[in-house]
Amino acid sequence: MARNDGIDRTSVRNVNLTKVQISNTQRHNEREKDSYTNPDIVPERAVLNIHFKEPSGSYADMFAQMEADKVISTRGLKEDAHLYGELIFDVNSAYFDNHGGYDFAKQFYTNAYKSAIEIVGGEQFILSAVMHADERNRAMSEALGRDVYHYHLHVVYIPVVEKQVLWSKRCKDKSLVGTVKETITQVSSSKKWKSHPAVDEQGRPILQKNGKPVLRKSYSVLQDDFYNAMRAAGYTDVERGERGSSEEHLTVAQFKTEREQKRLALLEHQVEKKGQALQQMEQKIEVQKGIATTFAEIDNMGRKTLLGKVELSQQEAKDLKQLAKKGAAADNMIEDLKRDLKSARRDAQIWKRRYEELKELTKDFLAAIKKAPERVRVFISNVLHSERLEQPKVQRQKESTIER
């Protein structure tokens, strides 16, 4: 995600998904929806999306087949367990735009997919991997005056770990109790992303002051793995996403809110500039009007003769010529300024309206995030989770679905 500081940063985030949520993820990734509320998606460019691994069926059907073939096991999992994971690989849009766009992004994510295979633990556990090339970066497009697209990679997979099943006490052969009965490939999101003790260069555990081991958060390790893989592949002009930053785990709603927040600040600045230009124009018009009013002095010049003619003194004639020239110039300038003023007022109203709309849209969120950022993050996460749970019900009622 771009921070507008001129540094290109890698980013990968993981999303855990239940069997209820996975259908909406599939419709989004595979572009199966009839319509999208996200105006940045350009349906005509969907043909440019690239599959590094194309699903052989629905994600749920592929999962069920792997379970039936005993490739994976769901033994002991709860009904609402996270059976799927989604890795979203990303770099700011400017990075790809500066390197040529689509073709460069295709090659970059070809290498990113290779790192995804390593992260997941094998390509057999990946259900789909698709690079989206059909989402327009509105802010950059408007700033540069041309279309700029945000390239990113979605990888949907099954989180698995190797699990040893031991013989229980119920085993008739007591000598086998506690020994390994079988090793299964267990579906487990929590164990897949379990934090591990950090070690120093000699492989010794790093301890806290209280003697407890320092844990490396799994998602931080994920960031390291992606960054190191891309650097090893030759992309030495990117930096790792900031450690501990909320950029690593932003939800879609948070990301879009922050993007609109930046657009809001830009609009506010533009409105201010338009207002200043408008004020300057009004001042110029007042000055020109003041000059124009001096023309009334012309009416008091000269003396009428007996024959009805008007005689001017030499000075009056000179003054009259100068005023006439100034008057002609002032008329032209006033008309030009009036046209500019009308255009400026129209532009200012447009920017002001857009600014007020965005300000109203985000005011509650901005106030809340300022007072209680952590509570807002948890709230958004819960709302998105509830929305995904309701999605199948809404889908049956409507033909068009909403963007995740």
Side-chain angles (χ1 to χ4, degrees):
M1 191 178 305
R3 293 172 58 87
N4 297 323
D5 57 3
I7 299 176
D8 301 311
R9 292 183 171 88
T10 60
S11 173
V12 55
R13 60 189 178 92
N14 180 71
V15 181
N16 297 316
L17 302 163
T18 66
K19 63 181 181 181
V20 174
Q21 298 166 328
I22 195 61
S23 59
N24 186 57
T25 298
Q26 176 181 323
R27 289 194 296 273
H28 171 74
N29 290 0
E30 307 303 330
R31 293 302 192 239
E32 296 174 349
K33 296 185 177 184
D34 296 326
S35 61
Y36 297 88
T37 57
N38 179 1
D40 297 329
I41 294 179
V42 183
E44 292 77 12
R45 282 182 59 91
V47 294
L48 297 176
N49 294 342
I50 300 172
H51 273 93
F52 298 106
K53 182 172 184 180
E54 193 162 356
S56 58
S58 73
Y59 296 170
D61 288 346
M62 293 172 69
F63 183 98
Q65 186 61 53
M66 291 176 69
E67 186 176 17
D69 294 341
K70 299 187 183 304
V71 176
I72 57 175
S73 173
T74 59
R75 186 185 306 175
L77 295 185
K78 295 181 180 179
E79 182 66 20
D80 60 348
H82 291 121
L83 304 180
Y84 306 85
E86 180 182 22
L87 295 171
I88 303 174
F89 297 87
D90 199 0
V91 183
N92 46 290
S93 300
Y95 178 66
F96 297 111
D97 190 62
N98 292 335
H99 287 75
Y102 180 79
D103 289 334
F104 181 82
K106 179 180 178 180
Q107 185 57 50
F108 181 91
Y109 286 121
T110 297
N111 288 283
Y113 177 61
K114 294 177 182 178
S115 73
I117 295 174
E118 295 297 321
I119 292 169
V120 169
E123 192 171 23
Q124 67 271 29
F125 301 116
I126 294 177
L127 304 180
S128 174
V130 57
M131 182 190 89
H132 281 171
D134 58 355
E135 295 187 26
R136 183 173 176 267
N137 185 316
R138 190 190 315 176
M140 279 192 65
S141 296
E142 292 180 358
L144 298 178
R146 57 182 174 83
D147 285 334
V148 177
Y149 293 91
H150 181 66
Y151 303 104
H152 54 282
L153 174 65
H154 293 265
V155 177
V156 177
Y157 68 98
I158 301 174
V160 296
V161 294
E162 293 297 317
K163 178 181 179 181
Q164 291 183 335
V165 180
L166 306 179
W167 285 100
S168 69
K169 293 181 180 180
R170 294 192 298 271
C171 177
K172 294 181 179 180
D173 186 347
K174 299 304 179 183
S175 64
L176 295 177
V177 175
T179 61
V180 178
K181 178 181 179 181
E182 61 177 329
T183 300
I184 63 174
T185 303
Q186 176 72 39
V187 177
S188 177
S189 178
S190 59
K191 292 181 180 178
K192 172 67 178 177
W193 297 109
K194 182 179 180 181
S195 298
H196 297 281
V199 296
D200 59 20
E201 294 180 355
Q202 286 72 40
R204 295 173 300 191
I206 300 175
L207 303 179
Q208 305 178 48
K209 291 182 179 180
N210 59 9
K212 293 183 178 180
V214 174
L215 296 179
R216 291 191 67 199
K217 294 183 178 180
S218 57
Y219 290 145
S220 180
V221 175
L222 172 62
Q223 292 290 336
D224 288 338
D225 290 345
F226 177 44
Y227 167 70
N228 292 332
M230 299 316 293
R231 297 279 289 196
Y235 300 93
T236 57
D237 54 351
V238 292
E239 297 297 332
R240 183 196 185 281
E242 291 188 7
R243 298 180 187 278
S245 170
S246 59
E247 289 184 70
E248 294 183 6
H249 312 299
L250 283 177
T251 63
V252 174
Q254 284 174 294
F255 168 70
K256 290 186 177 180
T257 300
E258 286 197 1
R259 185 173 61 183
E260 292 305 317
Q261 195 174 345
K262 292 176 182 177
R263 285 170 52 78
L264 180 64
L266 177 62
L267 288 176
E268 187 175 12
H269 177 66
Q270 291 174 331
V271 168
E272 182 179 354
K273 287 180 62 177
K274 290 291 184 181
Q276 292 174 351
L278 184 62
Q279 185 178 10
Q280 291 174 357
M281 288 182 184
E282 289 176 337
Q283 291 174 349
K284 288 181 180 180
I285 287 178
E286 289 301 318
V287 171
Q288 293 301 323
K289 285 183 177 178
I291 294 174
T293 56
T294 63
F295 293 170
E297 298 175 7
I298 297 174
D299 294 336
N300 298 323
M301 290 183 177
R303 295 170 297 280
K304 290 185 179 181
T305 65
L306 294 175
L307 299 176
K309 295 182 178 180
V310 177
E311 292 182 350
L312 299 174
S313 66
Q314 186 174 0
Q315 184 60 45
E316 287 176 334
K318 181 179 179 181
D319 291 343
L320 181 60
K321 289 179 180 179
Q322 290 179 344
L323 286 171
K325 291 178 181 179
K326 289 182 179 180
D331 283 342
N332 292 332
M333 184 175 292
I334 288 174
E335 290 303 318
D336 291 341
L337 288 172
K338 283 183 176 179
R339 285 193 294 270
D340 291 343
L341 177 61
K342 183 177 180 181
S343 177
R345 282 175 172 164
R346 182 176 63 251
D347 291 345
Q349 287 298 320
I350 293 174
W351 286 112
K352 185 176 181 180
R353 184 170 64 253
R354 294 178 67 182
Y355 166 71
E356 292 297 335
E357 289 174 352
L358 285 171
K359 185 177 180 181
E360 179 65 25
L361 178 66
T362 60
K363 67 176 183 179
D364 291 338
F365 178 83
L366 297 179
I369 201 70
K370 184 177 182 180
K371 292 182 179 180
E374 182 60 24
R375 291 176 62 187
V376 172
R377 186 192 68 77
V378 173
F379 173 75
I380 290 177
S381 179
N382 291 337
V383 170
L384 292 176
H385 180 67
S386 299
E387 180 181 287
R388 294 187 185 106
L389 292 177
E390 290 294 327
Q391 188 65 31
K393 184 186 297 182
V394 175
Q395 181 65 24
R396 290 194 296 268
Q397 297 173 351
K398 295 182 179 180
E399 291 184 359
S400 62
T401 59
I402 62 172
E403 170 66 345
R404 177 170 63 88

